Amino acid sequence: MQLQQVIQSILLAAASLPFSAGAWDVTLDAGSRCCSNLASSFPHRVLGSKTAEFTQANNHRWSTTAILNPKCIVQPVNTEEVSSIVKILTSNESTSGFPACPFAIKSGGHMPFAGANNIDGGIVLDLSLLDSTSLSSDHQVVSIGPGSTWQGAANKLKGTGVGIPTGRCPSTAVGGVTLGGGISFFASKIGFAADNVVNFEIVLASGDIVNANATSNQDLWTALKGSSGNLGIVTRFDFSAFPQPSLWAGGLPLPADEHSTRLALTAMHGLTKMHRLFPKVAYGQVFSFNASRTPHEGGIWNSIVFTGEDINELHLPPMPITIGGVTTEINLTDHMRETDLASLLEESDQFPWGYRNYIATVAFVNDLPTLSHVHDLTVDLYKTVRHVQNMEWLFAYEPLPYLFTEHSLARGGNVLGLNRTKDDLILMQLAPRWSSPADDKVMQDTAKQWVEQVKGYTKSVGKASDFLYLNYADGFQDPIAGYGEQSVWYLRDVARKYDPHGVFQKAVKGGFKIPGMGGNKNTHDEL
Ligand SMILES: Cc1cc2nc3c(=O)[nH]c(=O)nc-3n(C[C@H](O)[C@H](O)[C@H](O)COP(=O)(O)OP(=O)(O)OC[C@H]3O[C@@H](n4cnc5c(N)ncnc54)[C@H](O)[C@@H]3O)c2cc1C
Ligand SMILES: *[C@@H]1O[C@H](CO)[C@@H](O)[C@H](O)[C@H]1NC(C)=O
Ligand SMILES: *[C@@H]1O[C@H](CO)[C@@H](O)[C@H](O)[C@H]1NC(C)=O
Ligand SMILES: *[C@@H]1O[C@H](CO)[C@@H](O)[C@H](O)[C@H]1NC(C)=O
Ligand SMILES: *[C@@H]1O[C@H](CO)[C@@H](O)[C@H](O)[C@H]1NC(C)=O
Ligand SMILES: *[C@@H]1O[C@H](CO)[C@@H](O)[C@H](O)[C@H]1NC(C)=O
């Protein structure tokens, strides 16, 4: 045999192994080397595997599907430490051609897919201790660390009469939610959470700490509004604050029988269409199905929040509802009561931790027949997996009217690409939970089937939208591509400028990447 043939056959044999042993070893070696370098500089910030603290920090994720086996977890307490850590993680990258350390970035740990906020064999940069909230003395700006939960931030603001666009779930964190856009109760008044960030403090790949705002690094400021972890590690968000002494909130549970379902879908369509008339209203619907629920397997939770000063300004038309053959007119206002942001978040804790989950997303034009059809196919898909043990099939609709985008543009614009059309959209997420890893495959397959079916149908009737909300996207989806070519080109330019060696594309293995920049795919399977 010629030498060349020998080499070739060795290479072929190696390639046929279940995974590339060589590449795997390099990853593990890099993990150990990088962790010991970190530990020698920050002995009190690094959790090595097998300690109780490590396990606790690693398990502190909303979904068990996100729990992997990192080599170590590093928990900086301030921006300077983040900067030093990034310098260590990338120290050999430009000088020796040695790859930067493989790492993942975690704030609140709510993304459920494996690899979004965790990494096998690498380092997790855990931002949970960067959790301060402070209100400027003139009450104009609230500065929050990425690791703070929205509940934590709202608690600090309680009694100040000041509001900020918080996420609607108490335990999600400011970091991930805001960098993916961020939908709050205030979107129809002020746009996405990210649109209200007047300044990001960010640690770049070089370790440099810079501000990105309307007058300094303006391209980076715009790019950060929707690009997740692609450009650096955001260590502080300065939000523009507004007066919000109280708000009104309520919910109406309905059985998911045929009548209530059509009524709810009509209400979703109507309120999305009439958003301009009700700019202070946040409305959402969660449907949930579960084989052990009686008499109907499904329920509908209609949630409504009024963010105006005076509830008497809200003149919602009454909803006729028939239950058990008896029709009554429901005045939603009657079901609402005055509360404040901190209390409302506390009560909104409806999504338990500790399950296996995925979240997948689609958006389509607000059209009632389309909404109805998509609803029906989502329920039909449930029927194919209703036997899965301890499974709850949750999906939600929320309005995504062009009005949100008008507010975004008025605040400097973002990269979501929602200004490509003036359509009012319905944003949808499918977010089932189940218990056993043995059911992962059958459940996760439904995410792909659902996206394919909804995309196929909405395209066939001319009601499709390319937009994918990053914060609700599953690992196989490509939300940044869904922002459109113009945003992708823009993000590539900004990434090349602020991260010339592609650290956040290549060393950060998971999460959603800017298409076409050589970053790995989103799931840890491809590591
Ligand atoms: C129960 C529940 C309720 C939700 N409610 C809402 C809601 O009301 N509104 C809404 O818009 N979304 C909502 N979401 C979706 C939510 O926005 C995303 O899951 C979001 O990514 C969570 O952010 P996190 O920091 O908690 O998660 P993480 O998983 O820690 O972070 C998400 C991603 O952002 C990256 N990242 C995080 N922080 C930084 C940082 N500082 N710098 C750079 N990259 C970073 C991470 O690497 C990761 O890829 C909800 C999700 C769940 C599970
Ligand atoms: C960088 O390279 C040097 C020598 O090549 C090595 O000793 C060091 O551990 C490396 N640092 C990191 C963070 O990998
Ligand atoms: C914008 O960044 C510059 C430079 O760091 C800083 O001086 C200025 O205060 C920042 N603006 C805001 C609104 O934070
Ligand atoms: C609904 O109830 C509110 C408060 O209870 C009341 O002010 C309002 O007039 C009612 N609306 C309708 C349409 O009946
Ligand atoms: C399914 O519904 C039953 C009855 O309402 C409830 O006890 C159970 O917790 C639900 N299952 C899940 C996975 O949420
Ligand atoms: C959408 O808004 C962005 C950011 O302001 C801008 O750069 C882009 O040109 C706009 N695109 C369209 C199609 O209007």
Side-chain angles (χ1 to χ4, degrees):
M1 247 200 259
Q2 301 258 319
L3 183 59
Q4 211 177 333
Q5 282 172 312
V6 174
I7 293 172
Q8 210 160 34
S9 61
I10 292 171
L11 287 176
L12 281 173
S16 66
L17 290 172
F19 52 80
S20 160
W24 198 252
D25 286 341
V26 169
T27 307
L28 288 180
D29 281 344
S32 310
R33 176 174 42 81
C34 297
C35 286
S36 63
N37 281 334
L38 284 173
S40 62
S41 300
F42 294 102
H44 305 297
R45 305 284 185 247
V46 178
L47 305 175
S49 49
K50 295 184 185 81
T51 65
E53 291 88 346
F54 171 92
T55 304
Q56 194 189 4
N58 193 38
N59 290 354
H60 189 80
R61 289 181 158 80
W62 176 66
S63 177
T64 58
T65 35
I67 299 171
L68 302 176
N69 294 298
K71 199 76 197 168
C72 64
I73 299 171
V74 57
Q75 300 179 312
V77 299
N78 58 40
T79 304
E80 288 67 32
E81 288 189 0
V82 174
S83 164
S84 307
I85 288 165
V86 168
K87 284 181 185 159
I88 294 171
L89 294 177
T90 60
S91 60
N92 289 328
E93 190 267 331
S94 53
T95 48
S96 64
F98 222 49
C101 301
F103 68 107
I105 309 162
K106 181 200 172 203
S107 279
H110 273 69
M111 273 198 179
F113 67 88
N117 54 36
N118 208 345
I119 182 167
D120 277 328
I123 293 90
V124 173
L125 180 47
D126 178 349
L127 302 170
S128 58
L129 301 180
L130 269 74
D131 65 348
S132 71
T133 297
S134 64
L135 174 61
S136 67
S137 53
D138 62 3
H139 282 207
Q140 297 295 304
V141 176
V142 178
S143 300
I144 319 181
S148 171
T149 61
W150 291 109
Q151 183 75 62
N155 289 349
K156 290 268 174 58
L157 296 175
K158 202 174 170 88
T160 61
V162 160
I164 47 160
T166 66
R168 296 156 301 180
C169 173
S171 60
T172 56
V174 175
V177 175
T178 309
L179 290 171
I183 300 176
S184 68
F185 300 115
F186 309 99
S188 28
K189 281 206 292 196
I190 58 172
F192 290 87
D195 294 321
N196 296 279
V197 177
V198 292
N199 180 59
F200 296 92
E201 179 192 78
I202 179 173
V203 173
L204 300 175
S206 58
D208 291 349
I209 303 166
V210 302
N211 282 321
N213 58 55
T215 53
S216 188
N217 300 316
Q218 190 251 336
D219 50 357
L220 183 57
W221 177 63
T222 306
L224 282 168
K225 296 186 265 182
S227 59
S228 197
N230 277 292
L231 302 170
I233 294 151
V234 176
T235 46
R236 199 185 70 229
F237 296 81
D238 297 336
F239 287 94
S240 170
F242 47 85
Q244 192 71 46
S246 66
L247 35 69
W248 277 261
L252 181 66
L254 292 172
D257 59 21
E258 183 58 19
H259 177 85
S260 302
T261 296
R262 297 307 145 191
L263 177 87
L265 297 179
T266 307
M268 177 51 64
H269 168 71
L271 276 168
T272 302
K273 199 168 164 182
M274 295 187 299
H275 236 71
R276 268 166 221 284
L277 290 178
F278 301 106
K280 295 173 183 168
V281 168
Y283 184 56
Q285 282 171 353
V286 180
F287 280 75
S288 57
F289 287 78
N290 163 344
S292 52
R293 192 180 292 125
T294 52
H296 305 283
E297 290 187 19
I300 312 168
W301 175 251
N302 293 274
S303 100
I304 183 157
V305 174
F306 178 69
T307 62
E309 304 260 307
D310 179 0
I311 190 70
N312 295 312
E313 287 171 25
L314 177 64
H315 301 290
L316 274 182
M319 288 167 74
I321 292 185
T322 310
I323 295 174
V326 182
T327 304
T328 40
E329 287 218 321
I330 298 235
N331 178 348
L332 274 177
T333 315
D334 281 341
H335 291 257
M336 294 165 73
R337 62 193 164 65
E338 191 168 6
T339 179
D340 60 38
L341 206 43
S343 313
L344 179 56
L345 285 178
E346 230 163 78
E347 290 159 24
S348 307
D349 203 358
Q350 295 176 14
F351 304 97
W353 290 52
Y355 281 90
R356 308 197 67 77
N357 309 75
Y358 70 73
I359 305 182
T361 190
V362 292
F364 48 86
V365 174
N366 180 32
D367 169 68
L368 188 54
T370 307
L371 175 59
S372 272
H373 188 95
V374 168
H375 181 84
D376 294 345
L377 72 80
T378 307
V379 176
D380 286 346
L381 193 57
Y382 158 68
K383 291 173 188 158
T384 69
V385 285
R386 67 184 283 281
H387 61 277
V388 170
Q389 210 198 344
N390 211 19
M391 192 274 288
E392 181 91 11
W393 185 257
L394 284 158
F395 57 97
Y397 302 110
E398 50 192 300
L400 184 49
Y402 188 72
L403 181 62
F404 291 11
T405 297
E406 286 176 13
H407 295 311
S408 306
L409 294 172
R411 284 160 178 74
N414 58 41
V415 291
L416 303 180
L418 282 165
N419 54 339
R420 282 171 292 168
T421 73
K422 292 213 154 109
D423 290 325
D424 291 332
L425 304 176
I426 299 272
L427 176 63
M428 193 176 176
Q429 60 169 301
L430 175 59
R433 60 170 178 259
W434 65 97
S435 293
S436 170
D439 294 317
D440 283 1
K441 180 156 175 21
V442 68
M443 288 304 298
Q444 279 160 353
D445 281 349
T446 60
K448 290 178 187 144
Q449 290 163 25
W450 178 73
V451 167
E452 243 167 58
Q453 288 177 22
V454 179
K455 284 277 167 202
Y457 177 75
T458 54
K459 267 188 195 143
S460 75
V461 292
K463 303 292 180 193
S465 164
D466 287 334
F467 178 70
L468 293 172
Y469 184 45
L470 184 144
N471 279 336
Y472 298 167
D474 198 358
F476 73 91
Q477 299 190 283
D478 195 354
I480 294 178
Y483 295 169
E485 278 190 343
Q486 202 185 348
S487 289
V488 171
W489 289 332
Y490 185 73
L491 286 175
R492 283 184 194 150
D493 285 346
V494 174
R496 280 189 204 106
K497 176 171 164 190
Y498 292 93
D499 178 15
H501 301 288
V503 168
F504 290 96
Q505 300 308 309
K506 291 171 191 158
V508 177
K509 304 285 179 195
F512 295 111
K513 299 297 174 208
I514 301 168
M517 296 200 74
N520 284 350
K521 281 304 233 335
N522 304 316
T523 64
H524 77 302
D525 302 331
E526 275 105 359
L527 274 188

